[in-house]
Amino acid sequence: YYIDEFNSSDDMILNCLEDLMKPKYHNIKLYAHNMGNFDGFIILKCLMNNKEKHDFKFNINTDNSGRIMSIDITRKYIKAKKSIKISILDSFLLLPVSLDSLCKVFNTEVKKGIFPYQFLNKSTLLYSGKVPDYSYFTNLDYNEYLNYLEQFKSTEWNSKSETDKYLKSDLIGLFDVISKFNESIYNKFNINISRIRTISGLAFLLF
């Protein structure tokens, strides 16, 4: 999904949710790292501001401080007398360190990528040209930046393709982290982490 394929970012989000509302995805648990402070707000804003465009029902689960722990999204099929539900959970609440650190700790095959967060805006979504200046990158050593530049010696840097590449590496890395973490907890304690929302909740079950 990329914004140039849709009329708006809200349409893009709704299209993604529509694609997930399939019987094969019923009761699926989806993880987004730091969802409660970022992705969750974007999804909820979209759902609340576009009620005329969808028939989804949603439920927000929060902790005592009001932080979003998970979002359940449901669609009811009245004629078929069934419903489909997906849940979006915050992996940061289970593993409260950066995704970059988690990929290193769990030795994932795909590591968190490099991206100039400060560069991307409405006017640069379809940019193609020189690699953005070092000042647009955060938490990046200058030598790492120089190595990154080497990848584009004979080709242009493209916002759409680099965004796609970066997000895919994030998704694959997080999937690997969650899979390995769940396998470890299940093998040792016979507990599936999808039952729990927070690290404190997991600790309560273990001890």
Side-chain angles (χ1 to χ4, degrees):
Y1 305 92
Y2 201 71
I3 191 64
D4 65 333
E5 300 167 5
F6 302 90
N7 292 325
S8 68
S9 57
D10 283 349
D11 285 348
M12 180 175 68
I13 293 170
L14 291 175
N15 185 265
C16 177
L17 293 175
E18 187 70 40
D19 287 344
L20 288 168
M21 286 296 166
K22 303 287 191 297
K24 64 180 178 179
Y25 297 131
H26 179 51
N27 280 331
I28 194 172
K29 303 291 191 301
L30 305 168
Y31 287 92
H33 208 58
N34 205 25
M35 183 273 291
N37 283 328
F38 186 64
D39 310 76
F41 288 103
I42 296 173
I43 294 169
L44 289 174
K45 182 180 178 182
C46 171
L47 290 172
M48 289 187 284
N49 290 344
N50 295 276
K51 291 182 179 179
E52 76 286 354
K53 291 185 177 182
H54 68 82
D55 58 355
F56 305 132
K57 303 296 182 184
F58 55 94
N59 183 57
I60 310 163
N61 303 296
T62 63
D63 62 16
N64 292 332
S65 69
R67 174 175 172 140
I68 301 170
M69 294 193 297
S70 63
I71 303 171
D72 298 323
I73 304 174
T74 307
R75 167 180 281 163
K76 290 185 177 180
Y77 294 88
I78 297 175
K79 290 184 178 180
K81 295 182 179 180
K82 66 178 181 180
S83 62
I84 295 174
K85 183 179 83 169
I86 63 171
S87 298
I88 305 172
L89 287 65
D90 190 346
S91 51
F92 186 83
L93 296 179
L94 274 174
L95 296 163
V97 292
S98 70
L99 181 56
D100 183 43
S101 296
L102 288 174
C103 287
K104 292 173 182 175
V105 169
F106 285 89
N107 193 29
T108 61
E109 184 174 343
V110 176
K111 309 299 181 187
K112 186 171 178 63
I114 295 172
F115 195 79
Y117 305 111
Q118 308 302 321
F119 177 75
L120 210 60
N121 54 51
K122 286 184 179 180
S123 66
T124 58
L125 286 172
L126 299 176
Y127 168 83
S128 187
K130 293 182 179 180
V131 176
D133 187 76
Y134 176 66
S135 61
Y136 291 110
F137 294 79
T138 57
N139 300 319
L140 183 68
D141 181 88
Y142 190 68
N143 286 328
E144 291 179 302
Y145 174 70
L146 293 178
N147 290 332
Y148 185 67
L149 287 177
E150 289 293 316
Q151 300 176 32
F152 302 93
K153 262 190 170 182
S154 57
T155 184
E156 290 188 328
W157 191 94
N158 180 272
S159 290
K160 183 175 181 178
S161 61
E162 289 308 307
T163 298
D164 183 65
K165 186 192 304 182
Y166 173 76
L167 292 177
K168 280 182 178 178
S169 67
D170 262 22
L171 292 171
I172 295 170
L174 181 58
F175 177 80
D176 201 2
V177 166
I178 292 297
S179 297
K180 289 182 176 180
F181 182 57
N182 184 57
E183 182 180 8
S184 175
I185 296 299
Y186 188 81
N187 288 340
K188 291 179 181 179
F189 306 103
N190 199 33
I191 293 174
N192 190 316
I193 63 168
S194 65
R195 292 171 48 198
I196 303 108
R197 298 292 179 266
T198 65
I199 190 68
S200 58
L202 178 58
F204 180 79
L205 280 180
L206 296 183
F207 305 107

